[in-house]
Amino acid sequence: MSMRILHLSKTSEGGGWAFAQVRDLRRRGIDVHIVLPSRSGFADAYEGIGATVHVLPISLARVASLETRRAFRRLVAETSPDIIHSHFVSTTLFMRLVLGRAHPVPRVFQVPGPLHLETAAIRSAEILTAGPSDNWLGACRRTVQYYRDAGVPAGRVGLCYYGGDWERLEGDPDPAVDLGELDGRSAAVKIGMVAYVYPPKKWLGQRRGIKGHEDLIDALALLRGRGWDVHGVFAGGPWGDAAQYYSEVRDYGTKVLGDRAHFLGTRSDVRDIYASLDVAVHPSHSENLGGAADSLFLGVPTVATSVGGFPDIVRPGLTGRLAAPKNPASLADQIEAVLREPVLAREQARAGGGLVSRNLTIRATGDVLISHYEGLIRDRAVHPWSGF
């Protein structure tokens, strides 16, 4: 079945997972158009794989712009897509508000994570903007369950994991990876995380960043108090305008852990950093699958919080360990359990790597997307409903 899909992205710089999906769709012969806010970042890469790029900054903040609304409606009319596929909450709300709830083209919101669903008012507002042509693909089971619990019919929401671009992690890691002040301390127990630093969203009541850097710092302090000579490795710099908050987190790490806190800043050698760790920790307060898929793929013992999509792949007793979110003591307990049984932890991590490499592939994601697209095109009035 030939089809034309219009993808919507709020970022040209990020969203590598969206690019990987579009690349697979193009390999299958799908005509893909993508809306980006600028010509920077991935724009040339999209064109290099044969996708048609349209530059138009769309987001919830742009709904007030008459010019942007007219340009988007004109773009949809001119491209005449079979499906409109949105990747972000902001682009989804823009699309729905500008085109209206009754627009006939089937629309898919591939939900990148459950954060906006974890606040009842925001969850309800997002669902209330949907019309008869709107559908959802959650990227983890928890996201799907949020929609089902809110009353969205089963036929309107499905599960579609983001497949990993595992080629970037293949090959032997560099044993000479630069770990800053940790270089030369081969006997040190290295507990680390790889994540950008995001500042707290005060309007959501957050007091610490969503990735939980401070929680890991506190957990490492507890482990030191229990007699473990652990060092914290924090790879990932500030995201966007978070430079001030990144500085605050780094200062907090130094205050609590002294010279055992190592902040490496933004790095591209993710494979090498993960391979250098004794335990990879993902202490997020909200997340989809996050970096847990990467650390498991590489066979690194993995501890994550029991939020979002982490339980889909970090399965206690099978592939890794889960800790309570926003709970440094629980995090310390699970890290300590790994340190006490390192052989078992490695075996579980290898099992997790097998799970990830088998199930979280771009090809698998593409299969789900194509099947979903085809079903919507066959029945443009699939499961009509009147909203909530």
Side-chain angles (χ1 to χ4, degrees):
M1 178 185 293
S2 62
M3 62 182 80
R4 176 178 297 159
I5 313 298
L6 177 62
H7 284 249
L8 310 180
S9 177
K10 72 173 183 179
T11 175
S12 300
E13 306 295 335
W17 33 267
F19 173 77
Q21 286 185 9
V22 170
R23 182 179 59 195
D24 182 71
L25 294 175
R26 287 295 304 136
R27 288 172 176 170
R28 297 170 188 242
I30 306 301
D31 182 11
V32 178
H33 291 242
I34 183 160
V35 177
L36 297 174
S38 71
R39 287 290 322 178
S40 61
F42 278 100
D44 289 342
Y46 276 113
E47 290 186 338
I49 60 176
T52 302
V53 173
H54 304 272
V55 176
L56 182 65
I58 60 173
S59 67
L60 186 57
R62 301 287 297 182
V63 169
S65 168
L66 177 60
E67 180 182 358
T68 303
R69 296 200 306 271
R70 286 175 172 172
F72 183 69
R73 293 192 193 104
R74 185 166 57 248
L75 173 62
V76 172
E78 291 174 351
T79 56
S80 187
D82 296 297
I83 304 283
I84 303 176
H85 182 149
S86 177
H87 292 274
F88 297 89
V89 177
S90 186
T91 54
T92 298
L93 293 177
F94 176 92
M95 166 187 70
R96 293 174 182 170
L97 293 172
V98 172
L99 296 181
R101 298 177 73 253
H103 196 272
V105 176
R107 306 184 298 209
V108 177
F109 175 22
Q110 187 175 10
V111 190
L115 178 61
H116 80 282
L117 301 169
E118 293 166 353
T119 302
I122 300 175
R123 178 172 66 247
S124 297
E126 187 259 294
I127 294 173
L128 282 169
T129 63
S133 294
D134 284 296
N135 301 264
W136 293 264
L137 284 173
C140 71
R141 292 174 183 169
R142 188 69 191 93
T143 292
V144 172
Q145 194 59 49
Y146 272 121
Y147 286 109
R148 296 292 295 117
D149 290 345
V152 175
R156 303 292 296 277
V157 57
L159 176 66
C160 182
Y161 291 113
Y162 289 115
D165 186 8
W166 303 123
E167 293 179 1
R168 67 189 171 85
L169 297 180
E170 291 177 342
D172 295 327
D174 183 357
V177 58
D178 179 11
L179 295 179
E181 296 175 355
L182 257 176
D183 282 350
R185 303 191 192 185
S186 58
V189 179
K190 305 177 184 69
I191 315 296
M193 60 185 290
V194 180
Y196 286 110
V197 176
Y198 296 84
K201 297 180 185 294
K202 301 296 177 60
W203 58 277
L204 286 177
Q206 296 175 357
R207 292 186 295 175
R208 288 184 164 185
I210 196 170
K211 294 296 183 178
H213 287 79
E214 298 98 327
D215 295 344
L216 180 55
I217 291 169
D218 290 343
L220 293 176
L222 291 172
L223 288 169
R224 286 190 62 199
R226 298 175 189 178
W228 292 96
D229 183 20
V230 294
H231 287 250
V233 179
F234 300 87
W239 180 260
D241 58 355
Q244 176 60 38
Y245 184 65
Y246 177 79
S247 179
E248 292 172 6
V249 170
R250 187 176 54 199
D251 290 345
Y252 183 72
T254 301
K255 175 184 176 182
V256 173
L257 297 174
D259 64 357
R260 286 174 172 78
H262 309 274
F263 288 83
L264 308 182
T266 301
R267 298 284 289 265
S268 60
D269 52 345
V270 171
R271 177 192 61 189
D272 302 331
I273 291 171
Y274 271 130
S276 72
L277 300 177
D278 295 288
V279 186
V281 184
H282 308 279
S284 301
H285 299 172
S286 178
E287 193 65 85
N288 188 47
L289 303 185
D294 287 359
S295 60
L296 287 177
F297 179 82
L298 292 166
V300 182
T302 296
V303 174
T305 46
S306 56
V307 301
F310 282 148
D312 290 22
I313 57 174
V314 183
R315 301 175 181 176
L318 297 175
T319 65
R321 291 183 171 273
L322 292 174
K326 305 179 184 180
N327 190 327
S330 177
L331 205 59
D333 289 345
Q334 297 305 319
I335 295 171
E336 185 172 26
V338 171
L339 296 178
R340 290 190 183 281
E341 297 187 273
V343 175
L344 175 61
R346 288 283 174 183
E347 291 175 354
Q348 292 178 350
R350 284 193 290 271
L355 182 152
V356 166
S357 61
R358 288 191 305 271
N359 299 310
L360 301 184
T361 66
I362 294 297
R363 186 71 186 179
T365 299
D367 289 343
V368 173
L369 290 179
I370 294 295
S371 176
H372 194 69
Y373 291 162
E374 290 177 343
L376 294 178
I377 292 171
R378 281 194 300 266
D379 185 4
R380 291 171 71 99
V382 62
H383 299 287
W385 62 304
S386 58
F388 296 90

